[in-house]
Amino acid sequence: MTEILVSEVGPRDGLQSIKRIMPLEAKKRWIAAEAAAGVREIEVGSFVPPSLLPQMADTADLVAFARGIEGLKVVALVPNAKGAARAAEAGVHAMSIPFSMSETHSLKNLRKDHPAMLAEIAAVAEIAREAGIHFAVGLSTAFGCTMEGAISEDKVVRLAEQAAEAGAQEFSLSDTTGYADPAQVRRLVRKVRAAVGADKMTTLHLHNTRGLGLANVVAGLEEGITTFDASLGGLGGCPFAPGASGNLVTEDLVLMLNAMGLKTGIDLDRLLAVRQILAEALPGEPLYGFTPDAGPMLDYKQRLAA
Ligand code: ZN
């Protein structure tokens, strides 16, 4: 049975895009409950300056807490070398840096052009190597940018190659804007994999902004992608389209993968129960997903057992 890694990014990607601050204790309950449901990797926060993102000020505390959960891989996002040093000190198992394929977006988001980002990636890779920490690069806006429009696939390939030379150990293709379609997912996965190697091109970070999230997952699965990021309740929405759903919904992703007979190790009923923690800690915040409304498929457990 093929094993698929579902990487929960809600505590970072979900929470960073909403204004409200979730109390540390609620974040801990969320992380512990997802791990207990069988989630093996969680991005618990990001090491950005607390003045910029007060929601992420407790990331070091969360890393310390999450490291105490057996079998859980603890990931954090780092925007630069300074953040990477803090992440290493906090004791993350893995860190990832977002590298926007749109230079306009990169300048706006991290105030760095592509050469400056590649220098930062090299510096982060060095910190990660010295600390023995896994280091991934997220190729964000790879499927299109709200500011630049279409992003050339050749450019994505070239920047991925340069990031690999700078020391990236693994890549994800990120549909930051919800523009990806299954044909494009197939093409881009193939091209980047050919450039950096199949062992490095492992992950898709998809959004469900236009309802194509799961279709894009299937395209990725057919191309051999083994890791998918998702956010419980699709938390976070889409920063570029107020009111629209954003991140791929973890519950819907797990329902589909389990139903397809792929091994996630995640118990859907227990995962669905975790939503209650979010609903209580963030009253009024929209939570997305079809499975939570419809309930699990009647026969999904029998299929798992088969
Ligand atoms: Zn996202």
Side-chain angles (χ1 to χ4, degrees), residues 30-40 42 69-70 72 274:
W30 177 8
I31 289 165
E34 277 213 38
V39 174
R40 286 172 290 137
I42 302 181
I69 301 173
E70 211 190 301
L72 182 68
V274 184

Side-chain angles (χ1 to χ4, degrees), residues 196-214:
V196 302
D199 55 325
K200 288 202 172 97
M201 180 57 248
T202 56
T203 305
L204 285 176
H205 178 100
L206 298 166
H207 281 209
N208 198 37
T209 320
R210 291 172 181 81
L212 298 186
L214 289 177

Side-chain angles (χ1 to χ4, degrees), residues 1 10 25 31 40 42 60 85 94 151 191 197 233 235 250 260 263 284:
M1 201 192 261
E25 288 312 310
I31 289 165
R40 286 172 290 137
I42 302 181
I151 300 290
K191 285 184 181 179
L235 193 73
T250 310
M260 288 172 79
K263 194 178 168 204

